[in-house]
Amino acid sequence: MALSLSVSTRTVDYHLRKVFAALGVRSRVELARLVEQAEKTGARL
């Protein structure tokens, strides 16, 4: 992903950590579950 966006993997990791903290999740798996649940219920994140 980072290469296709021309950013470093550290930049991607930094932004993922910020998203995780804001949403109260600890992993990409938890994030994916949260997004899936929001899509099912029509909730906005």
Side-chain angles (χ1 to χ4, degrees):
M1 175 184 219
L3 289 176
S4 66
L5 297 174
S6 299
V7 297
S8 73
T9 55
R10 286 186 56 138
T11 300
V12 173
D13 289 339
Y14 169 80
H15 289 290
L16 278 174
R17 283 193 307 273
K18 297 292 255 181
V19 169
F20 289 176
L23 296 176
V25 297
R26 295 186 199 179
S27 69
R28 292 179 189 207
V29 172
E30 284 185 37
L31 179 60
R33 288 181 184 149
L34 183 65
V35 169
E36 182 181 355
Q37 186 63 33
E39 289 175 344
K40 286 180 182 177
T41 63
R44 295 187 66 185
L45 298 177

